[in-house]
Amino acid sequence: MDEKEIMTDITQGRTSVISKYHRNIDKSGTKDSSDCSPAERLIQAPLSPERSDAVYSHTSSRDSGWHIWSGWWSEEVKGHTESGHLPAPSESSGRDSDRQEHEDETQENVLNEETQNMEKDEDKREPIKELKLYKIASELLQTERAYVTRLHLLDQVFCAGLTEEAGKGTFPVEVVKSIFSNVGSIHTFHSQFLLPDLEKRMSQWDSTPRIGDILAQLAPFLRMYAEYVKNFDSAMDLLKQWMERSAQFNAIIQDIQSQEACGNLTLQHHMLEPVQRVPRYEMLLKDYLKKLPEDDPDRSQAEKSLNIISMAATHSNTAIRKMENLKKLMEIYEMLGGEEDIVNPSNELIKEGQILKLAARNTSSMERYLFLFNNMLLYCVPKFSLVGQRFTVRTRVGIKDMKVLETSNDDYPHTFQVSGKERTLELQASSEQDKEDWIKAFQKTIEIFQQKNESFKSASKEVVDEVSKEELGKRAPRWIRDNEVTMCMKCKEPFNPLTRRRHHCRACGYVVCYKCSDYKASLRYDGNKLNKVCKDCFFILTGRVDTEEPVSGKKRGILEIEAAQVSGNSFLCGFLQYSTDRTKPCQRLWCVVPQHDALVLYLYGAPQDVKAQCTIPLLGYQVEDVQRSVDHPPTSFRLRQSKSVHYFTADTEEVKLRWLGVISKAVIGEMPECQTPDDGDFANVCHEDMPDGT
């Protein structure tokens, strides 16, 4: 059957649908032509196939949403898409469309308004639905013809022309194959199977008004688009590369693009059409099902084909996402200087960005870069290089058993802690929003990881500061900062920069002196390597027994109470400037009035010290608000008893009043009241409900 015969059959099918419409109009009541509206007179008049398009062009184009998918079509196809009618490539259909474009707009608008009014009438609604269904099916056929024309251009013109030139040795044949992928198979499927079946069905629409069965049979073959879509980005890069590298390659493409068949569009534009084609089928079929009656025999087949096409569209979209992910992994692989196991399809990048790492030994911060994947965190150090490797991986932390916790730091805002088996990191974000974004990314990644691994136990959402005995050596501890202690946390000897320097136990994170850290044990979180540990951790990890006899009967001194322990259960605690002589510089100390000993003020060098520097029994002292002077700032107060005087200076007037409120009760033997701090004043907090070590 040649094209002319097919067009004749399709025209007859259109006329049949319009005739059914006329019969329903006649049944609803005969009107005198003089009483009819202009639209009704137009419908009742003999209609040519071109005029029949005008009856329903507005109705279908508005409902189908086809304009959304017009995409990168040629100017000819674009123009007809806007009018709701896509022509076949033949000259006769092109002339038909030209005549339709120049129809009287006023008459079309009147017809459209009358059609909407008729839809409200139950008796006239059925033929309107038939018109819409026919219009959608016709639109599918016309767009399929235009699409096959473009596929022919890609396969038999562009690809064939470049392949012929490549056979002469001008450029590799593999380049052409890599660019056009499986476009030949796609062209064969549409030109020899789908399009002929649609043309045959539309020519028999009067007896078989359905398209669902055809699409249900052929839709599974649309999965071949996944390969084309997956290759699309690399094809674009390869095309650009060889157009710049090879003059002959570029000349062939430019010559074909100048031909009328290309519609003044580039090869890249035409290659984009297969990427967009499957979603267009999905949109048209959804519109077809909306207009199809619930009891129509074609509904089950149409729904089946929609499911298959939707899966094919999803398959293509999944291929796009995988391709983009692998491309990003390749970029990271190069930035890390060839780090192993990065380019793996199972790896998925969740978030990346700059971050500051808070040093454990001091209060400084260091610039770092994080790559958060679905299964690991890469903690990287930037390299100042414009090309090549940009980062060095310092640590890999597995998502398994990872925990994240928002932290508070007076000197450094926007901080949070990430704890894993391999390492614990205290990090500072650039802003509060950035911190929240990172914490949410970590939490979501951890949650998804746990859901996918049923064997993993649900972990606590909070990170504990101290490592339990069961986790000792298995989990990287949080290091106590150097400035949080002034003495060894084991032997309680004060540190000094010459003879007793600070060291960290790699198992528990405590700050200890050289004598207390002169031990080594293998730690599982560090690949069972030997690490420096404190004495207590050494005996726990090795299972050995301490042969040194403890001194029996030795009582714990009054000062041997850990600052974190009493701070966690105190009436008031915080930093104060302290001195016994105003002529000498003040010392900034951590001061605590514990609940278990409310009449004593404990003075520590730092919040994590295990031993107080001194205590002041408050009973019998006089507390005085020092008058403002050159030597005494307005936030000062003092304790006086006989010749003993202690001077204190708070950071603010509000903080001073809190201390005066607590101490004024204690000096007369009464129980103080727990002070409630202002928001953000962490240094002077009632720790009644806070855990130890906060």
Side-chain angles (χ1 to χ4, degrees):
M1 182 181 294
D2 58 19
E3 184 177 349
K4 184 175 181 181
E5 292 175 341
I6 292 172
M7 287 301 298
T8 302
D9 291 339
I10 293 175
T11 302
Q12 292 173 353
R14 287 181 177 179
T15 307
S16 174
V17 173
I18 299 300
S19 299
K20 288 182 181 179
Y21 179 80
H22 292 329
R23 288 195 294 271
N24 279 274
I25 294 295
D26 293 338
K27 290 178 183 179
S28 63
T30 306
K31 292 186 179 180
D32 186 82
S33 61
S34 60
D35 298 327
C36 294
S37 67
E40 289 172 329
R41 288 198 301 271
L42 179 63
I43 293 173
Q44 292 174 6
L47 294 178
S48 67
E50 294 81 11
R51 300 290 280 179
S52 68
D53 279 344
V55 173
Y56 51 80
S57 62
H58 277 275
T59 305
S60 180
S61 64
R62 183 181 65 254
D63 296 336
S64 67
W66 180 255
H67 62 282
I68 299 173
W69 296 97
S70 56
W72 296 89
W73 287 63
S74 67
E75 294 302 320
E76 175 188 351
V77 178
K78 282 183 181 177
H80 291 290
T81 303
E82 293 171 357
S83 67
H85 181 72
L86 288 173
S90 64
E91 294 182 4
S92 61
S93 62
R95 289 193 298 270
D96 293 346
S97 299
D98 289 340
R99 286 194 296 271
Q100 182 177 336
E101 279 187 355
H102 294 89
E103 290 246 328
D104 185 356
E105 288 189 10
T106 304
Q107 195 172 33
E108 266 192 60
N109 291 335
V110 171
L111 177 60
N112 187 47
E113 182 180 353
E114 292 294 330
T115 304
Q116 291 177 351
N117 292 333
M118 284 187 289
E119 285 182 333
K120 299 177 183 179
D121 192 332
E122 291 291 339
D123 296 334
K124 303 172 184 176
R125 188 175 298 174
E126 196 64 31
I128 291 295
K129 286 184 178 180
E130 291 184 12
L131 286 172
K132 289 182 177 180
L133 290 174
Y134 180 83
K135 173 57 180 166
I136 294 171
S138 178
E139 190 172 13
L140 175 61
L141 173 61
Q142 299 296 347
T143 57
E144 186 68 15
R145 281 177 172 160
Y147 179 55
V148 168
T149 301
R150 304 296 175 244
L151 289 176
H152 175 84
L153 185 67
L154 286 173
D155 182 33
Q156 299 299 318
V157 182
F158 278 108
C159 184
L162 290 170
T163 302
E164 182 181 356
E165 184 64 29
K168 302 176 183 178
T170 310
F171 43 83
V173 178
E174 289 74 16
V175 171
V176 182
K177 292 180 179 179
S178 298
I179 291 174
F180 291 95
S181 185
N182 62 335
V183 72
S185 300
I186 295 174
H187 178 219
T188 300
F189 165 71
H190 285 273
S191 62
Q192 298 183 18
F193 295 93
L194 183 55
L195 179 59
D197 284 0
L198 287 175
E199 287 179 329
K200 182 178 179 181
R201 176 55 51 84
M202 293 305 296
S203 66
Q204 302 170 352
W205 187 263
D206 189 27
S207 59
T208 349
R210 62 179 67 94
I211 57 173
D213 55 339
I214 294 177
L215 295 177
Q217 181 182 359
L218 298 178
F221 293 96
L222 296 178
R223 293 192 180 96
M224 71 175 69
Y225 277 83
E227 180 181 346
Y228 184 89
V229 172
K230 184 178 180 180
N231 184 66
F232 182 76
D233 272 5
S234 60
M236 293 296 100
D237 293 338
L238 199 60
L239 179 61
K240 179 181 178 182
Q241 176 185 344
W242 278 93
M243 287 182 70
E244 296 173 351
R245 179 184 297 184
S246 172
Q248 189 60 28
F249 186 95
N250 183 55
I252 293 174
I253 292 176
Q254 295 296 338
D255 178 61
I256 298 174
Q257 288 179 168
S258 64
Q259 297 176 15
E260 184 178 354
C262 271
N264 297 321
L265 295 176
T266 64
L267 171 59
Q268 289 89 333
H269 282 83
H270 292 299
M271 289 185 67
L272 188 61
E273 286 198 37
V275 177
Q276 299 173 323
R277 186 57 184 169
V278 176
R280 287 173 178 154
Y281 288 132
E282 187 178 17
M283 289 294 294
L284 271 178
L285 200 50
K286 284 181 178 179
D287 194 33
Y288 179 77
L289 278 167
K290 286 180 182 178
K291 309 298 187 297
L292 198 65
E294 291 293 332
D295 57 349
D296 193 283
D298 195 32
R299 173 162 284 276
S300 61
Q301 291 294 325
E303 290 176 345
K304 178 182 176 181
S305 60
L306 177 60
N307 291 334
I308 298 173
I309 291 174
S310 297
M311 289 178 61
T314 303
H315 196 58
S316 296
N317 293 335
T318 302
I320 293 174
R321 287 194 297 269
K322 287 182 178 180
M323 175 187 61
E324 292 174 346
N325 183 58
L326 286 175
K327 184 178 180 181
K328 184 62 179 177
L329 293 178
M330 281 298 302
E331 294 175 0
I332 296 173
Y333 176 82
E334 295 174 358
M335 288 191 290
L336 300 179
E339 182 74 10
E340 296 181 2
D341 302 330
I342 295 298
V343 185
N344 188 319
S346 63
N347 293 340
E348 181 182 353
L349 180 66
I350 306 299
K351 184 175 174 62
E352 65 172 300
Q354 293 181 342
I355 203 82
L356 292 178
K357 164 69 170 60
L358 300 185
R361 295 191 176 278
N362 50 56
T363 57
S364 64
S365 58
M366 300 163 287
E367 184 178 341
R368 295 293 184 261
Y369 201 91
L370 300 182
F371 291 98
L372 176 61
F373 293 90
N374 59 323
N375 55 358
M376 63 179 169
L377 171 69
L378 297 186
Y379 169 68
C380 305
V381 179
K383 293 187 68 176
F384 298 99
S385 174
L386 298 177
V387 293
Q389 185 177 356
R390 293 174 52 195
F391 303 100
T392 300
V393 178
R394 180 66 60 85
T395 305
R396 284 193 184 200
V397 184
I399 299 298
K400 180 182 179 181
D401 294 334
M402 178 182 284
K403 301 174 184 178
V404 60
L405 175 68
E406 183 177 359
T407 57
S408 178
N409 190 306
D410 291 340
D411 299 323
Y412 295 91
H414 323 311
T415 58
F416 63 98
Q417 177 181 310
V418 176
S419 174
K421 285 188 174 182
E422 297 81 2
R423 188 166 181 179
T424 295
L425 304 169
E426 294 200 53
L427 307 170
Q428 180 186 12
S430 59
S431 64
E432 191 66 22
Q433 183 62 48
D434 189 31
K435 180 185 76 171
E436 292 178 3
D437 292 344
W438 273 111
I439 291 177
K440 287 179 181 178
F442 275 107
Q443 290 175 338
K444 185 175 181 180
T445 304
I446 293 170
E447 182 181 356
I448 294 175
F449 185 89
Q450 291 173 347
Q451 291 174 352
K452 290 183 178 180
N453 296 270
E454 297 179 356
S455 60
F456 296 153
K457 296 180 180 180
S458 57
S460 171
K461 298 300 181 182
E462 296 182 354
V463 176
V464 295
D465 289 341
E466 296 185 3
V467 179
S468 64
K469 286 186 178 181
E470 291 75 15
E471 292 182 314
L472 199 66
K474 300 177 183 178
R475 171 183 291 279
R478 172 192 178 272
W479 281 19
I480 303 297
R481 289 198 182 89
D482 288 355
N483 65 340
E484 292 181 349
V485 295
T486 61
M487 61 185 68
C488 175
M489 299 182 72
K490 295 298 180 181
C491 70
K492 304 175 182 64
E493 292 295 328
F495 291 117
N496 65 71
L498 295 178
T499 60
R500 196 175 294 273
R501 301 179 63 185
R502 293 171 170 83
H503 300 268
H504 278 87
C505 171
R506 268 58 174 181
C508 65
Y510 276 21
V511 183
V512 293
C513 65
Y514 73 96
K515 287 184 178 180
C516 295
S517 64
D518 194 21
Y519 299 87
K520 287 189 176 182
S522 59
L523 302 179
R524 190 182 299 181
Y525 77 81
D526 195 27
N528 289 320
K529 295 179 183 178
L530 289 176
N531 281 266
K532 183 181 292 187
V533 296
C534 67
K535 181 179 178 180
D536 293 345
C537 292
F538 173 78
F539 288 115
I540 294 174
L541 291 168
T542 60
R544 300 183 186 179
V545 180
D546 190 356
T547 57
E548 294 184 8
E549 293 285 341
V551 180
S552 60
K554 182 179 179 181
K555 295 183 179 180
R556 189 175 186 182
I558 190 173
L559 300 179
E560 296 183 24
I561 301 177
E562 296 181 10
Q565 178 182 341
V566 294
S567 299
N569 195 19
S570 64
F571 287 109
L572 187 62
C573 63
F575 281 108
L576 292 173
Q577 300 289 339
Y578 170 72
S579 176
T580 56
D581 187 350
R582 299 304 293 176
T583 62
K584 295 181 180 179
C586 293
Q587 183 182 6
R588 185 173 174 84
L589 298 179
W590 182 261
C591 305
V592 184
V593 178
Q595 291 188 8
H596 78 278
D597 198 0
L599 306 183
V600 179
L601 177 63
Y602 286 75
L603 305 180
Y604 293 88
Q608 295 288 344
D609 276 357
V610 295
K611 181 179 178 181
Q613 292 187 2
C614 65
T615 60
I616 303 175
L618 296 176
L619 190 61
Y621 270 87
Q622 292 180 352
V623 56
E624 300 173 352
D625 188 355
V626 179
Q627 296 298 319
R628 181 172 185 176
S629 65
V630 177
D631 297 328
H632 303 289
T635 57
S636 297
F637 63 94
R638 66 188 172 202
L639 296 174
R640 181 189 296 275
Q641 187 181 59
S642 184
K643 295 182 180 181
S644 177
V645 182
H646 303 274
Y647 295 93
F648 297 90
T649 302
D651 292 335
T652 65
E653 184 71 23
E654 178 68 23
V655 173
K656 183 187 81 169
L657 292 176
R658 291 186 199 150
W659 280 106
L660 290 177
V662 171
I663 295 175
S664 61
K665 294 279 189 179
V667 295
I668 60 176
E670 295 183 4
M671 291 293 290
E673 294 180 359
C674 184
Q675 298 294 303
T676 303
D678 293 335
D679 293 339
D681 186 8
F682 176 76
N684 296 274
V685 178
C686 171
H687 293 269
E688 189 172 20
D689 298 321
M690 297 183 65
D692 292 351
T694 303

